């Protein structure tokens, strides 16, 4: 038993000595001027490489989203009922001009979403020559809550009633905005809606005689 204890103690001392030597080596390396210079150089190189990767990734992202400059993306804000601001993204291809109006898709997102939820769809339609308008429905994205008269605003309450009626009112404002755009073919408008946005697409499409829903 005594020999086993001595053996364990010897191993413990050996490990402690090994750790001590490693600590001394690491400290010496850290303080070594040449190695510190090399570390600084490596940090600078790493920073430059990372920055270059970010710039290239940003360029690729811009190219994919804008069709390499063939699509303009504009965020618009419209003042609606009770002063609430309705926001939307307008994707406009180069072929959509005042002289050559383009077909248009109005895309309404679902609950807890925002106008960017359907950006991949928007870009696919834009590549096919469509103008795409993708609104932030009430309380989503950059749009404020929309007041429909069924909920009193005041301290401790929401600024607008988030009801089906308020959604339809807001969607109507967006549709009227689309009809005012000179580069939109108002006889060739398509409405689309996902989940919560479905009723808005159906009601507004039927009200204004959309080409398709």
């Amino acid at each position: 038993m005594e020999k086993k204890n001595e053996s364990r103690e010897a191993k413990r001392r050996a490990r402690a000595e090994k750790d001590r030597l490693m600590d001394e080596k690491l400290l010496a390396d850290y303080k070594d001027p040449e190695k510190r210079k090399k570390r600084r150089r490596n940090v600078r190189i790493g920073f430059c490489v990372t920055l270059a990767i970010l710039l290239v990734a940003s360029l690729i992202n811009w190219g994919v989203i804008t069709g390499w400059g063939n699509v303009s993306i504009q965020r618009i804000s419209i003042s609606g009922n009770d002063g609430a601001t309705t926001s939307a993204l307008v994707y406009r291809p180069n072929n959509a001009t005042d002289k050559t109006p383009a077909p248009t898709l109005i895309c309404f997102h679902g609950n807890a979403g925002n106008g960017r939820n359907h950006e991949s769809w928007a870009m696919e339609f834009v590549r096919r020559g469509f103008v795409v308008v993708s609104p932030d429905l009430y309380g989503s994205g950059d749009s404020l809550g929309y007041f429909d008269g069924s909920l009193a605003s005041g301290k401790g309450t929401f600024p607008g009633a988030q009801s089906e009626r308020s959604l339809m009112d807001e969607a109507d404002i967006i549709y009227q905005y689309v009809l005012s755009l000179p580069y939109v073919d108002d006889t060739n408008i398509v409405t689309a809606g996902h989940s919560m946005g479905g009723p808005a697409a159906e009601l507004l499409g039927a009200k204004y005689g959309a080409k398709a829903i």
Side-chain angles (χ1 to χ4, degrees):
M1 181 63 72
E2 186 176 342
K3 288 183 179 180
K4 288 183 179 180
N5 290 337
E6 290 177 356
S7 177
R8 282 198 294 267
E9 181 63 19
K11 289 180 180 179
R12 186 190 67 77
R13 289 175 180 172
R15 284 196 301 269
E17 179 63 15
K18 185 177 180 180
D19 290 342
R20 186 186 66 77
L21 293 174
M22 179 61 72
D23 290 343
E24 289 180 354
K25 182 178 183 304
L26 291 173
L27 185 60
D29 288 344
Y30 178 76
K31 292 182 176 181
D32 184 278
E34 287 300 319
K35 291 185 177 179
R36 294 187 71 169
K37 185 177 179 181
K38 182 178 180 181
R39 284 196 298 272
R40 291 195 192 97
R41 184 173 65 252
N42 289 340
V43 169
R44 287 194 292 268
I45 292 172
F47 174 79
C48 292
V49 169
T50 302
L51 183 60
I53 291 173
L54 287 174
L55 290 173
V56 171
S58 297
L59 177 63
I60 293 173
N61 181 67
W62 171 84
V64 170
I65 295 300
T66 65
W68 300 102
N70 293 320
V71 179
S72 68
I73 304 174
Q74 178 187 9
R75 179 170 289 282
I76 58 101
S77 293
I78 307 170
S79 182
N81 186 23
D82 199 39
T85 299
T86 294
S87 178
L89 289 166
V90 180
Y91 302 80
R92 180 182 175 182
N94 285 345
N95 62 279
T97 68
D98 294 1
K99 292 184 178 180
T100 58
T104 298
L105 170 70
I106 306 175
C107 201
F108 298 101
H109 65 79
N111 185 40
N114 61 65
R116 287 200 179 275
N117 284 162
H118 299 150
E119 192 154 67
S120 59
W121 293 3
M123 289 309 303
E124 183 58 36
F125 272 88
V126 169
R127 290 188 187 101
R128 295 168 186 263
F130 280 73
V131 172
V132 178
V133 179
S134 186
D136 293 326
L137 297 178
Y138 56 65
S140 302
D142 289 350
S143 290
L144 300 178
Y146 200 86
F147 184 60
D148 68 356
S150 62
L151 178 68
S153 62
K155 188 175 181 181
T157 62
F158 290 106
Q162 296 191 359
S163 68
E164 197 71 13
R165 169 63 185 277
S166 59
L167 186 151
M168 299 307 167
D169 287 347
E170 184 186 39
D172 201 298
I173 290 173
I174 291 295
Y175 206 110
Q176 290 181 46
Y177 169 79
V178 170
L179 291 174
S180 74
L181 296 175
Y183 52 83
V184 163
D185 179 359
D186 59 9
T187 67
N188 199 0
I189 294 176
V190 177
T191 59
H194 163 237
S195 188
M196 181 185 74
E202 294 167 1
L203 181 65
L204 272 296
K207 177 180 178 179
Y208 289 99
K211 189 71 171 289
I213 299 174

